[in-house]
Amino acid sequence: MTSISDRRFSLFCDFDGHIKTLFHNEGKVLSESVIGNTIFSLCLPSDLNKTIEFYLDIKNNNSSAGWEINLNTPEGYETFSFVGGVFGEMIGIAASTTKQDASLLMAELSSINNEQMNTIRQLVKEKQKLQQESDDIPGLLFDDLSRLNNELVNMQRELAKKNRELDELNKLKNKFLGMAAHDLRSPLGVIIGYSNFILEDEVRNFSKDQLEMIESILSSSEFMLNLLNELLDVSAIESGEIKLNMIHTDIIGVVRKNVEQNSVIAGSKQTQIEVSAAGDPINITIDRSKIDQVLNNLISNAIKFSPPGSQIKVKVFQKDKRVQVDVEDNGQGIPADELGNIFISFQKTSVRSTAGEKSTGLGLSIAKNLVEAHGGKIWVESEVNRGSVFSFTLPISRKNDIYKGLYSV
């Protein structure tokens, strides 16, 4: 056991008696776990009233000494002499097994108190300041949030206004395109008709240069007419006015018919088109003219961007509850960084047609919208110098399976 003179401790409490700091705990009279507990929990139950009186005496008179209080320590039952005093906003208490040691402890407690209490006061001030600032934060945050919310509401109103204006401008643009396209189609039809008539007239004699000029007029007029038709399609799609006239038909037959129509153009480039399909018909509900338009775009593109003498494969097969059509060529392929824009209107790739054929940059965008209007999906897989595969799927059955009617897009 340690000597009697070593059995001592001192501590600071708040005015409610909760222990805040423990020091000079020589002989380990108390455990550090007492911090946070009250000073009254240290004494024996028989000395509780005495301990309370001692504490009240300190609070009332700013100091108190000569109190003998029994504590239950790890060494067993022991009697300590207590002294205490008020130090600012804290109460300091010193205890020892001898009165002399307790007095000395109180003197030490007083000597170090100034520095410690100054630190405590500073901490209390900082805490109060932080508390005041934290109390002000909700108000400041509310003001900031209110201001930001008002700005956001104003921005939303302005955005809604701009969207309405853009919508009106887009409708006006579509209306203008429709009017211009309709007005231009008629004279272009006349030019195309007269050009064909002149080229088919075997009576008139034309020089080679004259024939080339007429053929150029015919080719340019046909391109312009095709462009106008595609602009009308884009206008109808964007305005939501396009209608699908749905019929139940064999998709394999639709594909074979479209390949047959494109075989003349393919033949001019010595290109072969091979159809691969199951023997049994695959009946689905579609707008046949719109799917013809999709097929014609994909097959004609394959011919346009494939070298003369190449082969194009068109596959039709059933996959789960959908039918899939693949148009595969062994042409130039499309760079990977351009694939993401290929189905966007007016977007063209760096790949050029192999025989100088013209392109509007609208066909694939229209094809995508038409396929998606049928509840399908379209995509492309391509590798430079290895060719491309354009694919699309269509549902085999719609809500009523065999359905005839109009679907709005």
Side-chain angles (χ1 to χ4, degrees):
M1 177 182 287
T2 58
S3 63
I4 294 297
S5 61
D6 292 332
R7 305 290 290 166
R8 59 182 186 173
F9 65 88
S10 53
L11 49 80
F12 278 114
C13 299
D14 60 20
F15 276 78
D16 292 326
H18 293 93
I19 301 171
K20 298 298 182 182
T21 308
L22 174 66
F23 51 97
H24 291 146
N25 187 26
E26 298 181 15
K28 298 192 182 215
V29 178
L30 301 177
S31 168
E32 292 289 336
S33 63
V34 300
I35 296 176
N37 295 330
T38 65
I39 185 69
F40 315 111
S41 64
L42 303 181
C43 64
L44 295 179
S46 58
D47 283 8
L48 177 59
N49 288 335
K50 186 189 293 185
T51 306
I52 294 173
E53 290 175 5
F54 163 63
Y55 207 74
L56 290 174
D57 193 33
I58 297 173
K59 293 174 70 175
N60 293 330
N61 302 302
N62 291 325
S63 65
S64 184
W67 291 80
E68 302 291 327
I69 299 176
N70 297 310
L71 303 182
N72 188 14
T73 70
E75 299 292 334
Y77 165 81
E78 291 183 81
T79 302
F80 286 81
S81 179
F82 277 74
V83 294
V86 176
F87 298 93
E89 298 173 358
M90 305 290 284
I91 291 178
I93 295 173
S96 174
T97 51
T98 66
K99 293 181 181 180
Q100 182 181 6
D101 282 344
S103 300
L104 291 173
L105 281 174
M106 195 63 187
E108 292 177 9
L109 200 63
S110 299
S111 67
I112 69 169
N113 177 66
N114 288 336
E115 181 179 352
Q116 183 158 348
M117 288 310 298
N118 287 336
T119 303
I120 292 174
R121 289 190 186 98
Q122 185 63 29
L123 290 174
V124 169
K125 288 180 180 178
E126 291 180 2
K127 181 179 179 182
Q128 290 174 341
K129 181 181 179 182
L130 289 173
Q131 182 64 43
Q132 180 63 37
E133 291 177 352
S134 65
D135 290 341
D136 293 341
I137 284 175
L140 294 173
L141 286 177
F142 179 79
D143 292 340
D144 287 341
L145 287 173
S146 297
R147 177 178 56 81
L148 291 173
N149 184 63
N150 289 334
E151 291 178 2
L152 180 60
V153 170
N154 290 334
M155 289 175 64
Q156 288 174 333
R157 287 173 180 166
E158 187 65 23
L159 181 61
K161 179 182 176 182
K162 295 297 183 184
N163 283 336
R164 288 193 298 270
E165 292 175 356
L166 286 173
D167 186 54
E168 291 300 320
L169 288 173
N170 189 55
K171 289 179 180 178
L172 185 61
K173 180 262 296 180
N174 289 331
K175 183 177 180 181
F176 171 78
L177 281 178
M179 292 171 59
H182 279 295
D183 290 344
L184 290 172
R185 281 202 301 181
S186 294
L188 279 173
V190 173
I191 294 172
I192 291 170
Y194 282 145
S195 297
N196 281 318
F197 176 76
I198 292 172
L199 290 173
E200 292 173 0
D201 190 351
E202 298 177 356
V203 177
R204 296 172 182 170
N205 296 319
F206 293 98
S207 67
K208 182 179 179 181
D209 290 341
Q210 289 174 326
L211 287 173
E212 288 179 353
M213 290 173 63
I214 297 171
E215 288 173 351
S216 178
I217 292 172
L218 176 61
S219 175
S220 297
S221 300
E222 289 176 339
F223 174 77
M224 290 178 65
L225 182 61
N226 181 58
L227 174 59
L228 289 174
N229 288 331
E230 290 186 342
L231 284 172
L232 282 171
D233 287 336
V234 170
S235 177
I237 289 169
E238 288 185 355
S239 62
E241 295 177 357
I242 193 169
K243 300 291 184 179
L244 299 182
N245 184 21
M246 310 297 284
I247 62 170
H248 204 60
T249 187
D250 173 25
I251 186 62
I252 296 177
V254 174
V255 170
R256 290 189 184 278
K257 185 67 175 178
N258 201 280
V259 168
E260 182 182 336
Q261 292 171 348
N262 278 278
S263 61
V264 176
I265 301 174
S268 66
K269 295 182 70 172
Q270 293 81 48
T271 298
Q272 292 184 345
I273 307 177
E274 177 186 317
V275 179
S276 174
D280 297 331
I282 303 178
N283 294 309
I284 62 175
T285 307
I286 58 172
D287 183 320
R288 177 161 182 164
S289 66
K290 298 297 187 292
I291 298 304
D292 265 331
Q293 192 173 350
V294 174
L295 288 167
N296 180 65
N297 181 272
L298 299 184
I299 295 172
S300 63
N301 276 354
I303 298 170
K304 188 182 301 181
F305 294 100
S306 294
S310 60
Q311 186 179 52
I312 297 169
K313 296 180 180 179
V314 181
K315 301 177 183 177
V316 188
F317 56 94
Q318 184 174 336
K319 189 175 183 180
D320 298 327
K321 294 183 178 181
R322 293 179 173 271
V323 61
Q324 181 167 324
V325 179
D326 295 339
V327 179
E328 179 182 352
D329 65 60
N330 52 6
Q332 306 163 73
I334 305 166
D337 59 347
E338 298 180 10
L339 290 174
N341 297 327
I342 201 166
F343 291 105
I344 300 176
S345 297
F346 300 104
Q347 294 291 322
K348 296 183 181 181
T349 67
S350 59
V351 183
R352 295 293 173 257
S353 59
T354 55
E357 297 98 330
K358 297 178 182 179
S359 175
T360 63
L362 291 172
L364 289 175
S365 171
I366 294 170
K368 178 177 183 293
N369 279 283
L370 294 178
V371 168
E372 291 178 350
H374 282 77
K377 179 183 177 183
I378 188 169
W379 69 95
V380 61
E381 297 174 0
S382 187
E383 186 177 346
V384 175
N385 298 324
R386 298 291 298 257
S388 305
V389 181
F390 282 83
S391 306
F392 68 92
T393 60
L394 297 170
I396 290 178
S397 61
R398 299 184 74 89
K399 288 183 178 180
N400 297 321
D401 192 20
I402 299 176
Y403 185 90
K404 295 184 180 181
L406 295 177
Y407 280 82
S408 296
V409 176

